[in-house]
Amino acid sequence: MFNSIWLNLYYYLRPILKWLLRKTTRLCELQRICYGESAGYSRSYGVEKSLQLSRSPEIKKMVQCLDKLSDERKLCGRVLKSSLQYAVGTALTVKDINPFVHNQFTPSFVRCSEHIWGYRQLVSEIEHLRTCQYDPTNSDHETKLLKLWDHLMPSVPLESRVTKQWQDIGFQGDDPKTDFRGMGILGLENLLFFAEEYPSAATYVLSHSLHPQKGYAFAIVGINLTSMAYHLLKDGTFKTHIYNISKSMPSIRLFHQLYCYLFYEFDKFWLQAKPKNIMDFTPVRNRFEENIRMLLSQPSAAFRINLSIDTI
């Protein structure tokens, strides 16, 4: 109840506070954030909240327009360039900012805008892949699945498309297509990215998964970690890392790299937890997610995605 009262009070007092600060600093809220906060999460998230709370009709319209474009995954090329120009122009006009006097505002605001709507677009892209179900009649899907086998088991030929051999890399049955139902084609693309981009790390983790007592189903756990990564992205937890390391629009490659980080770190966490058997998976997995969320709760959070895992 106290939080609700405070939020209502803040909503009504915010315009007065902003007016007082503008009079004393001669800077609008967006300028104070762009000049006063460190580049990365602190600045971009501050700008994001300021725009969301703005009562200006022009700002609201601009935010709705860019939200729509990012949800439709259209922020690229000329559309992206014109959208950023529109966002900057709106901010300069509404806030009465002279870009020649305040020449650092535009590049700072552009970077923040790329973070804000690039992240939103990334969520839309990942959602699209998650809802796209694996289709065995789709040659692209089948090719990626076979590539996954070739990267993880390069010296072992696959006897047939449907075979118990798939269980050797952690699928549940003879046909992996059934295991992708929860995360769709996203689960496959994450596994394949890990195997292609960090082959030594992927085979290293696979070797741990084959341990007779402490092992786990590599592919199934990988798909489960795709679910974790998906929810961390969708609820905004990944914003700290992504805003802190992105120099422009966040790409889907960045999401795949975060997934690889989670998989590699989970493997270490699993071994350190000394599980009795696979029945310990859920509690260990939950503790791992809690640790990741705690790390990402720090405004300066930025994982080292290179990890040296490609040189193991």
Side-chain angles (χ1 to χ4, degrees):
M1 181 176 179
F2 175 79
N3 288 337
S4 178
I5 294 173
W6 166 246
L7 288 173
N8 287 329
L9 186 62
Y10 176 73
Y11 179 79
Y12 288 108
L13 292 179
R14 187 170 181 272
I16 300 173
L17 295 173
K18 287 175 64 179
W19 181 84
L20 288 172
L21 287 169
R22 177 140 197 173
K23 285 297 182 181
T24 54
T25 65
R26 296 180 181 274
L27 298 172
C28 71
E29 184 177 57
L30 288 176
Q31 287 174 295
R32 294 194 300 273
I33 295 169
C34 287
Y35 301 159
E37 298 291 347
S38 301
Y41 176 77
S42 295
R43 181 182 297 171
S44 294
Y45 187 69
V47 168
E48 183 176 3
K49 297 307 293 182
S50 178
L51 294 175
Q52 288 175 349
L53 293 171
S54 177
R55 299 188 183 190
S56 162
E58 293 84 357
I59 294 289
K60 288 183 177 180
K61 181 180 177 181
M62 179 268 287
V63 169
Q64 291 173 356
C65 177
L66 269 67
D67 281 354
K68 184 175 186 295
L69 289 171
S70 56
D71 289 345
E72 294 174 351
R73 307 188 300 280
K74 293 180 178 179
L75 286 180
C76 59
R78 292 181 179 178
V79 174
L80 173 60
K81 184 178 179 180
S82 61
S83 297
L84 292 174
Q85 290 173 342
Y86 169 48
V88 170
T90 301
L92 293 176
T93 301
V94 172
K95 302 300 181 181
D96 193 23
I97 301 170
N98 187 326
F100 300 103
V101 175
H102 301 281
N103 56 12
Q104 288 302 308
F105 176 77
T106 295
S108 294
F109 186 74
V110 166
R111 178 60 54 81
C112 293
S113 297
E114 289 177 324
H115 286 169
I116 296 165
W117 283 287
Y119 189 96
R120 189 180 179 102
Q121 180 161 276
L122 179 57
V123 171
S124 180
E125 290 173 350
I126 294 303
E127 184 66 40
H128 175 70
L129 290 174
R130 187 190 71 83
T131 56
C132 177
Q133 291 301 306
Y134 185 91
D135 181 3
T137 66
N138 185 312
S139 60
D140 183 53
H141 293 185
E142 286 286 285
T143 297
K144 288 178 179 178
L145 179 61
L146 296 176
K147 279 185 178 180
L148 177 64
W149 175 270
D150 290 339
H151 282 290
L152 292 176
M153 305 290 279
S155 61
V156 181
L158 195 63
E159 295 172 355
S160 63
R161 167 60 182 79
V162 178
T163 170
K164 289 185 178 180
Q165 283 182 287
W166 289 112
Q167 296 175 36
D168 296 340
I169 59 173
F171 286 102
Q172 288 182 323
D174 298 353
D175 192 345
K177 70 177 183 180
T178 58
D179 294 326
F180 293 121
R181 287 174 183 168
M183 286 290 111
I185 199 66
L186 178 63
L188 174 57
E189 295 212 351
N190 271 342
L191 285 168
L192 182 57
F193 185 92
F194 188 31
E196 285 185 329
E197 294 293 319
Y198 306 107
S200 54
T203 53
Y204 181 77
V205 172
L206 177 62
S207 69
H208 289 167
S209 75
L210 297 174
H211 190 277
Q213 283 80 43
K214 300 178 181 179
Y216 52 85
F218 177 89
I220 296 301
V221 168
I223 294 169
N224 188 285
L225 292 173
T226 288
S227 176
M228 183 189 296
Y230 164 75
H231 287 100
L232 289 170
L233 180 78
K234 194 164 185 179
D235 67 20
T237 303
F238 270 156
K239 281 183 180 179
T240 45
H241 170 81
I242 290 179
Y243 285 6
N244 281 330
I245 71 162
S246 296
K247 302 301 181 184
S248 56
M249 292 281 288
S251 67
I252 196 167
R253 179 179 177 82
L254 184 52
F255 176 81
H256 288 320
Q257 289 175 328
L258 277 166
Y259 166 81
C260 294
Y261 175 88
L262 290 180
F263 207 157
Y264 185 73
E265 290 299 314
F266 175 79
D267 179 69
K268 290 197 296 183
F269 190 85
W270 173 262
L271 295 176
Q272 291 167 0
K274 298 180 180 179
K276 295 179 182 178
N277 51 51
I278 193 61
M279 298 303 292
D280 288 337
F281 174 75
T282 298
V284 172
R285 187 258 191 211
N286 290 343
R287 290 201 304 273
F288 175 71
E289 181 174 351
E290 288 174 5
N291 287 355
I292 292 295
R293 287 186 178 277
M294 182 179 66
L295 291 172
L296 289 168
S297 69
Q298 303 301 314
S300 60
F303 295 144
R304 292 183 58 194
I305 301 300
N306 63 325
L307 301 172
S308 76
I309 64 178
D310 52 347
T311 58
I312 292 173

